[in-house]
Amino acid sequence: GQNIDQPTEMTATEGAIVQINCTYQTSGFNGLFWYQQHAGEAPTFLSYNVLDGLEEKGRFSSFLSRSKGYSYLLLKELQMKDSASYLCAGMDSNYQLIWGAGTKLIIKP
Amino acid sequence: IAGITQAPTSQILAAGRRMTLRCTQDMRHNAMYWYRQDLGLGLRLIHYSNTAGTTGKGEVPDGYSVSRANTDDFPLTLASAVPSQTSVYFCASSDSAGEGNEQFFGPGTRLTVL
């Protein structure tokens, strides 16, 4: 079966660094996406990885290990506006996205 | 540029009623998708369309139907609503259905079936 696992909730302090992990199991693999979703809003795209390694984009970085079925999203210099849910999604062999339930990130001052 | 619009924003519906959720995009994207999002669960794909004139079933298609008469519009119809269809519905689109194409989401429709 296909499955995406990520922690339900994490708490971090403003200015700090947080790493949100995701493990995936998909039928075939065409890449791993991270989306951000603020409460009551639509998901918005953050990153895409299809090759092993780290992709850096400003304060956000995403890592992929295909052999381990593992990805993480790294958020640096946390700001209060980063309080949101972070959704991990794997793209399967049919180019469909399989979504995790999301990690709710709470930022404390 | 609006991107993707959905209507209505929210709706309360009696069980057994028919309802169509509207979705329109102005990005000339070929692929469009309908998801439902329920608390504690990931987004689940209901139906998709890789190009105008074609549609496919996703993970949870029962009780829903779609059509794709043109590039811009992708309505989702609940033929006879049931309480288990209470959810937030998101429409999304991407340039194509292939590898690496990010999906852009509409603002969602919050549907309550009583």
Side-chain angles (χ1 to χ4, degrees):
Chain A
Q2 306 197 96
N3 194 50
I4 305 287
D5 282 319
Q6 54 182 130
T8 303
E9 187 174 295
M10 299 181 70
T11 301
T13 305
E14 189 177 15
I17 299 173
V18 71
Q19 178 175 312
I20 303 174
N21 296 323
C22 170
T23 58
Y24 66 88
Q25 205 170 6
T26 57
S27 300
F29 179 72
N30 281 302
L32 195 291
F33 289 80
W34 284 96
Y35 279 75
Q36 180 189 59
Q37 186 178 25
H38 286 101
E41 298 183 7
T44 55
F45 171 80
L46 286 178
S47 68
Y48 170 72
N49 295 66
V50 68
L51 300 176
D52 286 355
L54 187 69
E55 294 274 347
E56 297 187 76
K57 199 184 284 187
R59 293 190 299 115
F60 292 9
S61 303
S62 56
F63 172 84
L64 178 68
S65 168
R66 294 179 64 135
S67 62
K68 295 182 179 177
Y70 167 71
S71 174
Y72 68 72
L73 181 69
L74 191 71
L75 292 74
K76 303 176 185 175
E77 301 168 15
L78 286 169
Q79 301 175 10
M80 297 304 294
K81 67 179 182 180
D82 297 329
S83 292
S85 288
Y86 292 85
L87 315 182
C88 175
M91 181 170 269
D92 69 13
S93 58
N94 294 318
Y95 302 105
Q96 304 294 352
L97 289 179
I98 310 302
W99 297 83
T103 299
K104 182 178 181 180
L105 178 63
I106 299 167
I107 310 294
K108 295 186 175 179
Chain B
I1 297 176
I4 302 184
T5 58
Q6 293 184 236
T9 303
S10 65
Q11 182 76 44
I12 299 174
L13 191 64
R17 296 297 294 268
R18 181 183 178 89
M19 174 75 191
T20 295
L21 308 185
R22 299 184 298 279
C23 174
T24 300
Q25 53 104 357
D26 63 4
M27 296 177 283
R28 308 303 294 171
H29 282 171
N30 288 303
M32 297 187 74
Y33 314 85
W34 273 106
Y35 292 97
R36 58 178 291 172
Q37 187 174 41
D38 302 291
L39 200 62
L41 298 176
L43 288 160
R44 291 183 291 169
L45 183 66
I46 304 170
H47 284 288
Y48 65 93
S49 169
N50 288 338
T51 190
T54 70
T55 62
K57 294 182 180 180
E59 179 187 355
V60 289
D62 294 344
Y64 306 95
S65 63
V66 292
S67 62
R68 187 90 184 276
N70 57 60
T71 297
D72 299 346
D73 301 300
F74 191 43
L76 175 74
T77 298
L78 289 67
S80 179
V82 295
S84 62
Q85 292 177 312
T86 293
S87 188
V88 179
Y89 290 85
F90 286 103
C91 179
S93 72
S94 63
D95 184 48
S96 73
E99 179 182 301
N101 282 283
E102 67 177 276
Q103 294 181 12
F104 296 82
F105 284 79
T109 293
R110 185 173 296 275
L111 182 66
T112 303
V113 182
L114 302 176

